[in-house]
Amino acid sequence: MNRTEEFQELRPLLFSIAYRILGSVSEAEDAVQESWLRFEGSPTEVRSPKAFLSAAVTRISIDVLRSARVRREEYVGPWFPEPLLADPYEDPARSAELADSVSMAALLLLERLSPLERAVFVLREVFDFGFPEVASAVGRSEAACRQLAVRARRHMAEGRPRFEADRRERDELASRFFEALHEGDLAGLRDLLAADVSLVGDGGGKAPRLARTVAGAQNVARLLAAVFPVLDRVEVSCEQREVNGQPGAVFHDRDGKVLQTFSLDILDGRIQAIRLVLNPDKLAHMGPVADAWAISEELKRARRTVD
């Protein structure tokens, strides 16, 4: 097997590592490409392509994350990771764990960690790398990596919910939610939402977004029941999809362009959070992006007509 074939075989793993460290599809793809250039240009024989490439993509991602942290501090409104519709790395024995590790909730928890803690946690806890491999990848001693892993696990455990959702029950609840959404069923929506549910949008100042977080089952249900029927009138469609390994949807305009994504956090038999990503920069990897401002104006006119 030549270097190109070795790289292509490992590419799904490399992307999945980089995405979990960075929370960005575009930046993860750039990190993977840079790791290929380093691999291709290495003048010496590479005994373990996996070790070499994993270390390369991890170190590149750490450097990128450090600079990204500055940009995120200046971000307009709430910041969410770029939506991921399909994780290219598969491990049937750990599919549920991998899906949970790429959820919006998990990635937002990872934002609390330092770049090194985040990288160590991803390699060790998500991809089950041994500490010698982790130490080589991040350029620290095994003892230091063990300490980083302990701190990272503690921070992640503090933020994780106490009750995990059964995947089948989660998917059934999501189907009932989208059915109620299509029907504009206010009572049906309210019954599926946690009492303290929140609905938050990430427009990054480049798309219309909610003026504030909408909180509470009654408020969120009323908003969804009022807005969703109007989307049909302006020919915005809702395609139910997994988003970051969790129930969600992708919205398209009449020309099939991506308008936004919708992801649900489901725990203990209720929807705890609904996150919308409308920032066009975060949707571009999914295809042509709709003009959210124009659609917002159409929605206003459609609602005035109804009223």
Side-chain angles (χ1 to χ4, degrees):
M1 189 180 293
N2 60 37
R3 285 193 178 184
T4 300
E5 292 168 334
E6 290 170 334
F7 172 75
Q8 290 301 334
E9 185 176 272
L10 291 165
R11 187 174 194 132
L13 172 63
L14 302 177
F15 173 85
S16 294
I17 291 171
Y19 177 76
R20 285 166 173 81
I21 294 174
L22 293 166
S24 166
V25 172
S26 55
E27 289 176 347
E29 289 174 341
D30 289 344
V32 171
Q33 184 60 26
E34 177 62 27
S35 71
W36 158 247
L37 295 175
R38 294 186 185 185
F39 183 51
E40 182 188 37
S42 176
T44 59
E45 180 184 354
V46 177
R47 293 185 179 181
S48 172
K50 179 182 177 182
F52 181 97
L53 286 163
S54 298
V57 82
T58 297
R59 293 185 184 190
I60 292 164
S61 297
I62 289 171
D63 289 342
V64 173
L65 182 60
R66 284 173 174 151
S67 62
R69 286 288 174 90
V70 177
R71 298 195 302 273
R72 289 174 192 177
E73 289 174 359
E74 300 171 351
Y75 196 80
V76 177
W79 179 93
F80 294 152
E82 289 185 11
L84 184 68
L85 299 186
D87 187 352
Y89 179 73
E90 297 180 357
D91 181 349
R94 302 173 64 245
S95 59
E97 182 181 349
L98 288 170
D100 289 341
S101 72
V102 82
S103 69
M104 287 279 183
L107 292 173
L108 288 171
L109 282 177
L110 284 170
E111 283 292 303
R112 303 179 183 183
L113 307 182
S114 71
L116 272 178
E117 288 173 340
R118 186 164 180 164
V120 168
F121 183 88
V122 167
L123 292 175
R124 176 63 182 168
E125 302 299 322
V126 178
F127 294 101
D128 202 28
F129 279 48
F131 276 111
E133 297 171 288
V134 175
S136 175
V138 302
R140 295 292 189 276
S141 68
E142 288 186 42
C145 288
R146 290 180 186 277
Q147 292 178 342
L148 287 165
V150 168
R151 289 203 299 269
R153 282 196 297 268
R154 183 173 65 248
H155 289 314
M156 294 294 286
E158 288 170 354
R160 284 189 183 280
R162 289 180 296 168
F163 303 103
E164 296 291 342
D166 176 88
R167 297 185 73 80
R168 186 175 67 177
E169 292 178 0
R170 181 204 71 180
D171 292 342
E172 289 175 354
L173 190 149
S175 294
R176 286 159 50 205
F177 170 80
F178 283 108
E179 182 179 345
L181 196 61
H182 281 286
E183 294 175 355
D185 180 358
L186 176 61
L189 287 168
R190 187 176 56 240
D191 290 344
L192 298 171
L193 302 173
D196 58 350
V197 65
S198 61
L199 188 154
V200 190
D202 172 356
K206 299 183 178 183
R209 68 177 182 90
L210 301 173
R212 56 181 175 80
T213 298
V214 181
Q218 181 65 24
N219 293 333
V220 172
R222 186 185 296 119
L223 175 64
L224 293 174
V227 171
F228 201 88
V230 185
L231 291 176
D232 284 337
R233 297 190 186 98
V234 299
E235 300 179 72
V236 170
S237 61
C238 171
E239 176 191 7
Q240 192 172 341
R241 294 282 302 271
E242 275 203 350
V243 178
N244 287 79
Q246 307 299 313
V250 181
F251 289 72
H252 298 87
D253 71 3
R254 61 174 60 90
D255 298 318
K257 296 179 179 178
V258 180
L259 174 63
Q260 66 179 17
T261 62
F262 213 76
S263 62
L264 308 178
D265 275 359
I266 298 175
L267 294 166
D268 200 22
R270 291 289 186 275
I271 295 169
Q272 307 289 330
I274 304 172
R275 296 186 177 92
L276 286 65
V277 177
L278 301 97
N279 185 338
D281 295 344
K282 296 186 177 183
L283 303 173
H285 64 279
M286 298 167 57
V289 180
D291 185 342
W293 296 105
I295 291 174
S296 177
E297 290 303 314
E298 285 190 64
L299 284 171
K300 291 176 183 177
R301 290 194 294 271
R303 294 186 71 175
R304 284 197 295 267
T305 300
V306 172
D307 295 340

